[in-house]
Amino acid sequence: MDALHPRLLVGRFPETFRFYAAVLPELTGARLVRGTEDGPYAHWDVAGQGLLSLLDRRAMADATGAPSDTATPSDRTMLVGRVRDVDAGYALCLRHGATEAAAPADRPEWGPTLRTAHVRDPEGNLVELQSYDG
């Protein structure tokens, strides 16, 4: 299970994919688990643990309702964490100073049993909480 890993939100998906596909295996022993240079998503694991994922920045903007032409620093990276209960994790984050980016929602288009929520930490960094049933 991936506890926490970075996701790069990229505007030049094919080029960025080719770069990481070329260097991650040799540098870290990572293997591509999902995705192609056609995007919009790809991720690499090391020993079954998430190392890095890429997502087309426009796809993330669509999910959070942000303007797709926005390219602020907080919209270039995000932390992704697997949690037991997305709704409870979302509420916990909000109670401790996070702001809403996208309320909890099922995302079958991203994964058959995936549920996510997105918040921004007090510094404005984007954080995804996710869980998979089954």
Side-chain angles (χ1 to χ4, degrees):
M1 176 186 293
D2 307 329
L4 189 65
H5 66 276
R7 177 176 296 160
L8 301 180
L9 305 176
V10 300
R12 295 172 38 198
F13 194 94
E15 296 94 331
T16 307
F17 175 91
R18 287 191 298 269
F19 172 79
Y20 285 107
V23 303
L24 286 177
E26 187 171 336
L27 292 175
T28 67
R31 71 177 186 86
L32 178 65
V33 176
R34 181 174 171 201
T36 69
E37 71 178 67
D38 296 327
Y41 178 81
H43 79 262
W44 289 264
D45 284 0
V46 172
Q49 296 295 309
L51 174 71
L52 178 70
S53 64
L54 303 178
L55 182 64
D56 185 281
R57 189 176 302 127
R58 288 178 305 266
M60 192 72 250
D62 290 346
T64 62
S68 62
D69 59 353
T70 300
T72 64
S74 62
D75 293 325
R76 293 185 183 269
T77 61
M78 67 188 293
L79 289 175
V80 179
R82 180 120 7 133
V83 298
R84 286 187 185 98
D85 183 330
V86 167
D87 298 66
Y90 177 76
L92 176 69
C93 290
L94 294 179
R95 281 197 309 273
H96 289 279
T99 57
E100 177 183 342
D106 294 331
R107 301 234 183 245
E109 68 279 12
W110 293 1
T113 61
L114 180 63
R115 184 166 180 78
T116 68
H118 297 87
V119 298
R120 291 195 183 275
D121 72 14
E123 187 65 25
N125 297 299
L126 192 56
V127 178
E128 177 177 288
L129 306 173
Q130 61 174 229
S131 67
Y132 291 88
D133 285 335

